[in-house]
Amino acid sequence: MILANILPPGASLYAHNVDVIYYTLMGVSVLICLLLLIVGGVFIVRYRRGSPAKRGPMPELLSREIEIGWTVATFFAFIFLFFWAAAMLVSSGPAQKGDLEIHVVAKQWMWKAEQPNGAREINEIHVPVDTPVRLVMTSQDVIHSLFLPALRLKQDVLPQRYVDMRFTADRTGTFPLLCAEYCGTEHSHMTGKLVIMTKQAYQKWLEAQPGSADVAGMGRKLFTSLGCSGCHGRAAHVRAPDLEGVYGRSVQLADGRTVQADKDYLRDSILEPRKDIVAGYEPIMPSYKNTLSDSDVLRLVAYLKSLASKEKDQ
Amino acid sequence: MSQAAAQAADGRPLTYLSNGFTLRSWLTSTDHKRIAILYAVSITAFFFLGGIAIGIVRLELVTPTQDLVSADTYNRLFTLHGIVMVWFFLVPSIPTTFGNFLLPMMIGAKDLAMPRLNLFSWYLYVAGGLFTVYALIAGGVDTGWTFYTPFSTMFSNSHVLAAAMGVFVVGFSSVATGINFIVTTHMMRTRGMTWMRLPLFVWAMYATSFVMVLATPVLSVALLLVMAERWLGVPIFNPTHGGDPLLFQHLFWFYSHPAVYIMILPAMGVVSEIFPCFARRRIFGYQFMVYAMVAIAVIGFFVWGHHMFVSGQSGYANLVFSFLSFVVAVPSAIKVFNWTATLYRGQITFEAPMFYAIGFVGLFTIGGLTGLFLATVPIDIQATDTYFVVAHFHYIMVGGSVSALFAAIHFWWPKMTGRMYPEIWARFAAILMFFGFNFTFFPQFIMGWMGMPRRYGSYPPEFQIYHVLSSAGALVLAAAYLLPLGYLTWAYFRAPRAPRNPWHATGLEWTTPSPPPPLNFDAPPVVNEGPYHYHPAEVGPEARPEGAEDEQRASSA
Amino acid sequence: MTASTASSPPVALHEPWEDLSRQRQAATMGMWIFLLSEMLLFGGLFAAYTVCRSLNPMGFRAGSHEADLVYGTINTVLLITSSLTMTLAVRAAPARLHKVALGFLAATVALGLAFLAVKGMEYHEDLTKSLFPGPGFKLPQQGAEQFFSFYWVMTGLHMLHMTAGVIAVSRLIVVGRRYPEWLETSPAVEATGLYWSLVDVIWMILYVLIYLPGRGG
Amino acid sequence: MSRKRDKGDGHSPFWRGPLLAWGALLLLLAVNVALAYLLGGDNPLIGVGIAVAMVLVVAIIFMDLRRSGPINRSLAGAGLVWLGIMFALMFADYLTRS
């Protein structure tokens, strides 16, 4: 059917819900256009100059009532549309802990994705079907935008900040992955594939990837090799904030503010230690701004997060 | 000496056109009508410059691969198209040409309140234009007309400084025009012209002027900060120094959404003048049309966040801006209903202005409704930065504002030049433009929702069919834009002379001779009734008075 | 209101207007609309400053601590006084006190030039303390360099407006001394007065945003 | 201060109002600096609050808003309202980022 190939394939329940809203809005718009076309057309034909139709003044009463009528009607129709669409957004709910977290780094003109076990890929993202996936994304230079038309999702990727994109695919297949925010010369070549596989195929694919030590493991190696454990480890004699289970906790800062230790806070503390100094500690931590790449920082943050979950298990 | 007695060189009554033929008389004239012509010429030049840029882009997009121009040239072409079309054609188009020409005449004044400021605003426009043309010649700018940071401040190595300075300067030109119109509307209305007797075109200019004065400075600040960061290296938007790239987007869109209302409000004013004239009926719900225009101008400042739904803005802000964007759509819907209702029980004739005006209402309705799609957050997440949004704003700006511009050109052409225009050619051009436009932009809606991102030089092959259709439509549209240039130039020299009031329209500008004398009115007119007193109560089918027929056809001297 | 040729005195009434008081009312309204756009211009800058300060509070406080409060306060006093003398000049002119008005206008220009001089000294001192954002920037905190970016852009833009104000008032003096009758009727006097007071208002807010955050507490 | 010269005609001389305003402004400035030192400068309520008071004094007396027509007063008000719109909706985004 002609309609089938002019509509993008939907690969998740969210995509289906968006399509329902899209069709409804399309229906309402076509209705309004037809209404105007018919009314306008009839007026144009009936009241063209020289036509025998009845003229005379417009019934004054009629004009004021009609005016208020369609103003209120339009207003409430639009407000209903707003609340219906907004309800869908609010119902998507907060991120659960169990999401499969894939780190995506956008740089000028390619997408670098890294699976939890460290498998790295360029311009492709492999995800298992029917599992909630969370893409934690950041950019190394300008603003890019990860666009997955099949999932009806798009999210700008900003430098120096983590943004999330969460979805649960419900259909296997290979779908386009594009950059939607203009980012320079090769903006139109910054495209790739989103490959949704069955769980088994995904596991088999994961093992087959070279050098797949998990991200948290690599984070632990960095934690020791960079000397973080020198101050933050258990046996350290230097007074430094204890990082066991710090992820998610609220931290009291020297200037009286309390902040929630989320991914951004941890990244800022590694790259800009003097930005938010923890209460009761000296600002002696060196900045790692030029030594660490974005992927390394992501690994360290993943390691600190794993510390949190481990501490809860004991 | 009263100008009625003043004779031009060839014995005909002195008009603003024959009041001096040297270049100096044009470039130093503070007559609002001459400045309108100066603006008209410079705006047409920039319109075709922007048109050529997008012509090459559309040719490139016929093939999925990048083979006509390099990726860099492609980026500079669509940026040039954006900058020139938004700031050097659409924002000034109707206010500075028809607003300048008609506002004083419609309220019965001799000239604008500050004639020298009016000429200064044209020189600011030319200065801004020179900066942009320099940026083009020196190599172009590749940041997109939105100048997003940190690309424009840190990663682009094109002439961002010159282009930003050009837009910075032309911004003050529109502030100057805004000041002039507001003071004129307040202070120079003739006796009897109360606020509620103002023609809707004057209300449109008044509302647009406030939007120009209130929104443009914030754009100047945003571009000033980009220029400071690029030239002096001061890290304002630099993310590694604590800057937030979204801050630029907030400041930019605080101007750029009201800017789209600067572009559409004057078009609404023009259509509100044309529908009553050609339907021979009073506008339906005059007060509601006025309140709707003012409401659009005010609420237009609350909705800019809907350009940033996917940019990393907080979810709460998305909902707030989405709600306000639905609210701002209501006044536009009211206006469309009122225009349609104006046709009821009228005596409708279909000269060229009416063709364009009906085309405006149709295309603006489609543009407005797709705006509702984009105000809905989940739909906008899929549709923003794709060709769906490109098609949406072209339906509003080209389908709406440019159609109304051509409607205005044909409606007031007899008054401005003293000549008629070839009716058959004009209607053909209107129909060609309507189909060329739909042929170009409707396929973009379809491929936009399928996921074709905007600003792509090469694209996935499955979209090629839509690009080919769109490019073919663009050729038809280009032809439709060249036609009026042709027959109007011919008409200026050869067409029969226009009578004082060829359309038998009401409105003070039609009481002056065409073309009007330098100071418009011999004696300041007095107004004693509302603007559109077209429809005598019981008139039968032949609405126009007997003598009207032959006078309009005859080419009276 | 360009002065006409040296021989014939400039006439205050201009082409489309027949009545001078209407023209003066229009000039004042026109200036107020221009001031509206100036409010939005500097308002946009203050909004950007406030947002960046909320993102990097520590850096902004450290930066503000470096800004020299003494220079800032002197400038604020100079500007408030110049706004006084400008207002007195505007009030004196139509009251046929032509000599008094010229005196106050001269005082306004003097205070304006003093402000620019003090500002120049402050800039010079800031440059020697390497407070201009760039590689050699003095303060390490994140956001301090951004504070000084705003400092240079905002005070620089204000200085441009101050210079334009000094030129405009000087022009009033030059033409007013030769043609007293013009000084007492021309709408330019009140319009320039309004412009000058707005430049003073903008400095007051700038003063609070730049010099005070780093103090005490 | 030699600049003051009594040329008033009938009602209070033209310089009385502005001179009082000038005194008030200097007083407010001093209070602002003092509070900045006492309570810490980065508390925006005090600093900006006093600044707004000073702005109102200048606007009403120096810029003669009191006697100029309702249009000029509404223009001045419109400036503040539009700034309010910009600040409010921008911070609706910044304050609610998770």
Side-chain angles (χ1 to χ4, degrees):
Chain A
M1 215 261 286
I2 177 83
L3 206 57
N5 57 27
I6 64 165
L7 289 176
S12 70
L13 178 63
Y14 173 79
H16 171 69
N17 293 342
V18 169
D19 285 348
V20 168
I21 297 182
Y22 179 68
Y23 298 142
T24 317
L25 276 176
M26 185 63 80
V28 166
S29 304
V30 166
L31 207 70
I32 293 178
C33 283
L34 280 183
L35 181 75
L36 279 174
L37 204 61
I38 292 165
V39 170
V42 161
F43 283 175
I44 282 177
V45 169
R46 235 165 92 75
Y47 297 111
R48 65 191 184 291
R49 192 160 62 82
S51 76
K54 177 176 167 309
R55 274 8 181 244
M58 181 74 145
E60 189 47 37
L61 170 71
L62 204 60
S63 74
R64 180 152 295 284
E65 257 53 41
I66 289 184
E67 197 78 63
I68 296 170
W70 65 41
T71 309
V72 170
T74 324
F75 182 77
F76 281 114
F78 289 173
I79 298 309
F80 165 73
L81 284 175
F82 164 73
F83 277 110
W84 180 41
M88 204 198 94
L89 264 186
V90 174
S91 67
S92 54
Q96 297 87 358
K97 275 284 159 271
D99 289 359
L100 168 69
E101 205 177 272
I102 298 174
H103 295 148
V104 176
V105 175
K107 67 187 287 295
Q108 246 164 345
W109 306 305
M110 71 175 71
W111 298 97
K112 292 191 292 184
E114 189 173 4
Q115 303 286 345
N117 75 345
R120 274 195 287 277
E121 44 190 343
I122 302 283
N123 284 348
E124 278 201 7
I125 299 179
H126 289 74
V127 286
V129 75
D130 296 332
T131 44
V133 170
R134 186 146 67 98
L135 303 181
V136 176
M137 305 186 284
T138 184
S139 160
Q140 283 185 340
D141 34 51
V142 291
I143 299 177
H144 301 272
S145 183
L146 186 66
F147 179 26
L148 306 172
L151 302 173
R152 309 292 186 275
L153 283 174
K154 182 186 286 111
Q155 178 57 50
D156 276 16
V157 184
L158 302 165
Q160 304 296 324
R161 185 177 146 195
Y162 292 129
V163 284
D164 281 3
M165 177 189 275
R166 291 172 43 257
F167 59 85
T168 310
D170 65 4
R171 211 179 78 166
T172 58
T174 306
F175 302 99
L177 173 147
L178 308 131
C179 174
E181 181 54 58
Y182 176 70
C183 56
T185 315
E186 299 299 324
H187 165 58
S188 37
H189 296 296
M190 199 171 154
T191 57
K193 287 283 166 278
L194 171 74
V195 182
I196 307 175
M197 314 154 82
T198 59
K199 290 198 170 78
Q200 302 79 6
Y202 175 70
Q203 286 306 334
K204 229 189 306 56
W205 176 81
L206 268 185
E207 268 82 34
Q209 294 310 313
S212 55
D214 70 284
V215 175
M218 280 197 271
R220 187 189 323 104
K221 277 203 220 69
L222 279 170
F223 192 77
T224 43
S225 65
L226 292 168
C228 314
S229 53
C231 299
H232 293 289
R234 270 207 188 71
H237 42 76
V238 174
R239 258 182 53 68
D242 171 19
L243 299 181
E244 290 283 334
V246 71
Y247 183 76
R249 246 188 341 183
S250 62
V251 176
Q252 178 77 24
L253 294 183
D255 60 11
R257 290 176 304 135
T258 55
V259 279
Q260 223 248 340
D262 57 5
K263 300 192 293 301
D264 284 308
Y265 168 77
L266 293 179
R267 187 180 58 73
D268 282 352
S269 313
I270 296 170
L271 297 177
E272 301 290 344
R274 280 192 191 73
K275 182 177 179 201
D276 304 313
I277 301 161
V278 180
Y281 290 90
E282 291 309 311
I284 52 169
M285 174 169 168
S287 160
Y288 288 86
K289 185 184 273 187
N290 313 12
T291 51
L292 284 181
S293 78
D294 272 282
S295 333
D296 291 343
V297 175
L298 275 167
R299 291 190 189 105
L300 273 171
V301 168
Y303 169 63
L304 293 178
K305 273 183 68 180
S306 68
L307 282 183
S309 47
K310 199 182 300 140
E311 189 235 2
K312 281 196 196 61
D313 307 340
Q314 279 137 16
Chain B
M1 75 173 174
S2 88
Q3 328 96 20
Q7 295 297 334
D10 59 7
R12 294 178 46 71
L14 181 69
T15 73
Y16 79 98
L17 287 172
S18 59
N19 184 15
F21 292 94
T22 64
L23 197 60
R24 226 175 76 80
S25 76
W26 275 94
L27 294 182
T28 59
S29 148
T30 58
D31 179 350
H32 67 103
K33 298 181 284 298
R34 285 194 160 221
I35 295 172
I37 303 296
L38 289 176
Y39 263 113
V41 169
S42 31
I43 275 163
T44 312
F46 274 107
F47 175 66
F48 285 106
L49 173 66
I52 293 162
I54 206 65
I56 303 168
V57 163
R58 278 276 36 120
L59 281 179
E60 159 60 53
L61 286 175
V62 168
T63 58
T65 54
Q66 189 92 37
D67 35 33
L68 182 65
V69 284
S70 74
D72 230 7
T73 316
Y74 176 82
N75 294 342
R76 287 157 200 249
L77 280 172
F78 74 70
T79 303
L80 174 72
H81 173 72
I83 291 176
V84 162
M85 283 306 198
V86 167
W87 281 299
F88 291 94
F89 171 64
L90 269 170
V91 164
S93 68
I94 294 178
T96 56
T97 49
F98 295 98
N100 260 331
F101 195 97
L102 295 167
L103 184 64
M105 294 169 72
M106 280 187 171
I107 57 173
K110 283 195 290 220
D111 200 321
L112 284 172
M114 304 166 189
R116 278 193 304 262
L117 180 67
N118 202 11
L119 184 62
F120 180 60
S121 111
W122 184 71
Y123 277 102
L124 278 175
Y125 176 88
V126 169
L130 290 180
F131 269 109
T132 308
V133 167
Y134 162 73
L136 162 68
I137 293 165
V141 59
D142 67 349
T143 59
W145 77 282
T146 42
F147 290 101
Y148 270 13
T149 64
F151 181 74
S152 62
T153 48
M154 291 161 57
F155 289 88
S156 165
N157 43 34
S158 60
H159 299 270
V160 178
L161 212 53
M165 181 52 87
V167 175
F168 182 83
V169 169
V170 85
F172 290 106
S173 158
S174 76
V175 168
T177 307
I179 293 172
N180 228 329
F181 283 0
I182 294 172
V183 175
T184 306
T185 315
H186 269 282
M187 306 283 297
M188 305 191 70
R189 286 169 285 133
T190 186
R191 226 151 40 81
M193 179 67 84
T194 64
W195 281 97
M196 276 309 176
R197 286 186 183 155
L198 284 174
L200 283 173
F201 182 78
V202 175
W203 270 107
M205 289 301 115
Y206 184 68
T208 311
S209 305
F210 264 105
V211 180
M212 280 198 236
V213 166
L214 286 166
T216 315
V218 181
L219 171 77
S220 312
V221 165
L223 293 178
L224 187 76
L225 294 175
V226 164
M227 288 192 272
E229 176 150 357
R230 236 188 118 78
W231 185 40
L232 304 172
V234 289
I236 290 170
F237 300 116
N238 184 344
T240 52
H241 287 70
D244 177 13
L246 259 63
L247 176 58
F248 173 80
Q249 292 181 26
H250 273 296
L251 291 175
F252 179 79
W253 289 112
F254 181 86
Y255 162 76
S256 294
H257 192 79
V260 305
Y261 293 113
I262 294 176
M263 298 172 203
I264 198 65
L265 271 173
M268 292 177 170
V270 165
V271 172
S272 306
E273 294 291 324
I274 287 173
F275 259 62
C277 171
F278 289 93
R280 311 308 298 170
R281 274 204 49 72
R282 206 180 288 274
I283 190 86
F284 182 85
Y286 174 87
Q287 288 83 4
F288 277 81
M289 292 293 263
V290 170
Y291 300 147
M293 269 194 224
V294 172
I296 288 175
V298 171
I299 308 173
F301 281 90
F302 287 76
V303 297
W304 80 81
H306 60 232
H307 296 274
M308 299 161 60
F309 281 156
V310 291
S311 66
Q313 195 174 234
S314 77
Y316 172 75
N318 281 358
L319 288 181
V320 166
F321 282 119
S322 172
F323 176 76
L324 291 169
S325 302
F326 271 102
V327 170
V328 85
V330 173
S332 302
I334 303 308
K335 292 185 83 65
V336 169
F337 298 150
N338 280 351
W339 284 319
T340 317
T342 306
L343 301 176
Y344 179 62
R345 286 192 176 178
Q347 299 283 353
I348 306 168
T349 54
F350 300 98
E351 281 85 355
M354 195 55 170
F355 267 50
Y356 283 112
I358 294 172
F360 167 90
V361 172
L363 301 178
F364 175 70
T365 305
I366 297 176
L369 289 169
T370 47
L372 280 185
F373 282 67
L374 295 168
T376 321
V377 178
I379 305 286
D380 183 78
I381 287 175
Q382 166 80 354
T384 192
D385 281 332
T386 68
Y387 266 77
F388 189 93
V389 87
V390 170
H392 159 68
F393 66 70
H394 279 93
Y395 259 81
I396 299 266
M397 289 204 245
V398 181
S401 198
V402 174
S403 298
L405 178 70
F406 277 95
I409 289 173
H410 289 85
F411 186 54
W412 281 295
W413 173 266
K415 181 54 64 185
M416 293 173 88
T417 60
R419 298 274 179 163
M420 292 306 286
Y421 60 83
E423 191 59 48
I424 306 304
W425 276 104
R427 289 184 190 169
F428 172 67
I431 294 169
L432 190 69
M433 199 180 291
F434 184 83
F435 284 105
F437 171 82
N438 279 305
F439 196 12
T440 310
F441 289 109
F442 203 81
Q444 294 186 1
F445 273 129
I446 300 167
M447 67 171 157
W449 184 255
M450 283 173 66
M452 168 67 200
R454 63 190 285 200
R455 296 172 171 170
Y456 261 36
S458 60
Y459 51 86
E462 65 260 27
F463 297 118
Q464 180 168 16
I465 173 70
Y466 304 103
H467 276 297
V468 167
L469 284 172
S470 189
S471 295
L475 288 182
V476 174
L477 196 56
Y481 284 140
L482 288 171
L483 262 176
L485 198 62
Y487 66 75
L488 287 179
T489 316
W490 172 85
Y492 183 71
F493 298 103
R494 286 286 181 281
R497 289 203 179 276
R500 210 175 256 262
N501 193 346
W503 317 112
H504 299 286
T506 62
L508 293 180
E509 78 272 23
W510 296 105
T511 59
T512 67
S514 343
L519 287 176
N520 300 346
F521 301 97
D522 300 341
V526 178
V527 170
N528 39 41
E529 57 178 341
Y532 308 110
H533 42 276
Y534 278 109
H535 192 65
E538 308 77 20
V539 168
E542 62 305 327
R544 290 204 187 131
E546 261 52 55
E549 232 52 56
D550 42 15
E551 190 211 335
Q552 197 230 339
R553 286 289 170 273
S555 59
S556 58
Chain C
M1 307 307 172
T2 52
S4 66
T5 54
S7 59
S8 69
V11 74
L13 186 61
H14 282 290
E15 187 29 49
W17 298 95
E18 284 93 18
D19 163 46
L20 191 55
S21 69
R22 292 282 293 176
Q23 181 183 335
R24 182 176 301 119
Q25 203 185 343
T28 311
M29 187 196 301
M31 178 49 77
W32 264 106
I33 300 169
F34 175 67
L35 298 189
L36 188 59
S37 76
E38 288 291 304
M39 278 194 238
L40 263 298
L41 184 79
F42 280 93
L45 265 177
F46 296 152
Y49 169 93
T50 322
V51 162
C52 291
R53 183 165 144 186
S54 72
L55 294 176
N56 310 299
M58 304 258 283
F60 270 59
R61 186 176 315 120
S64 166
H65 193 68
E66 283 303 314
D68 190 324
L69 182 64
V70 173
Y71 277 125
T73 313
I74 293 173
N75 268 342
T76 311
V77 170
L78 283 176
L79 217 46
I80 291 176
T81 317
S82 71
S83 196
L84 167 71
T85 53
M86 188 66 197
T87 308
L88 294 178
V90 168
R91 300 279 166 75
R96 316 211 63 72
L97 303 167
H98 149 252
K99 276 271 177 301
V100 170
L102 277 177
F104 282 139
L105 286 177
T108 309
V109 169
L111 288 162
L113 292 174
F115 173 91
L116 293 174
V118 168
K119 197 67 205 158
M121 285 194 296
E122 185 182 1
Y123 276 167
H124 175 70
E125 193 185 290
D126 288 344
L127 289 176
T128 49
K129 279 167 33 183
S130 69
L131 283 175
F132 191 84
F137 187 68
K138 175 178 168 191
L139 298 171
Q141 288 90 341
Q142 160 105 339
E145 203 166 350
Q146 193 180 31
F147 170 82
F148 271 94
S149 317
F150 277 108
Y151 167 79
W152 288 97
V153 169
M154 290 203 282
T155 48
L157 192 62
H158 179 268
M159 218 169 72
L160 280 180
H161 280 77
M162 173 54 71
T163 316
V166 165
I167 293 167
V169 175
S170 315
R171 191 191 141 275
L172 288 183
I173 296 174
V174 165
V175 178
R177 184 180 293 120
R178 287 175 63 90
Y179 308 104
E181 195 268 331
W182 175 83
L183 188 69
E184 284 154 7
T185 56
S186 162
V189 179
E190 189 177 353
T192 315
L194 287 176
Y195 173 79
W196 190 277
S197 295
L198 181 93
V199 174
D200 176 24
V201 159
I202 287 167
W203 176 260
M204 284 181 195
I205 299 170
L206 262 179
Y207 175 77
V208 168
L209 294 183
I210 289 175
Y211 294 98
L212 292 189
R215 302 303 156 221
Chain D
M1 290 277 286
S2 66
R3 263 193 301 289
K4 300 196 301 304
R5 258 200 300 237
D6 183 353
K7 275 282 186 305
D9 43 12
H11 65 280
S12 69
F14 70 91
W15 47 262
R16 178 179 301 283
L19 197 66
L20 286 176
W22 180 64
L25 288 173
L26 291 184
L27 187 69
L28 283 171
L29 178 66
V31 165
N32 215 348
V33 175
L35 285 181
Y37 270 102
L38 287 175
L39 306 170
D42 64 354
N43 165 348
L45 275 152
I46 300 168
V48 173
I50 294 178
V52 166
M54 292 165 78
V55 162
L56 287 179
V57 166
V58 170
I60 293 169
I61 296 165
F62 283 177
M63 296 165 105
D64 207 8
L65 261 187
R66 205 169 21 143
R67 275 190 293 116
S68 66
I71 299 167
N72 295 341
R73 272 197 291 272
S74 46
L75 288 172
L80 298 179
V81 167
W82 257 260
L83 281 181
I85 298 168
M86 184 200 300
F87 273 80
L89 286 175
M90 263 170 95
F91 277 96
D93 171 27
Y94 281 100
L95 294 181
T96 58
R97 286 198 188 161
S98 60

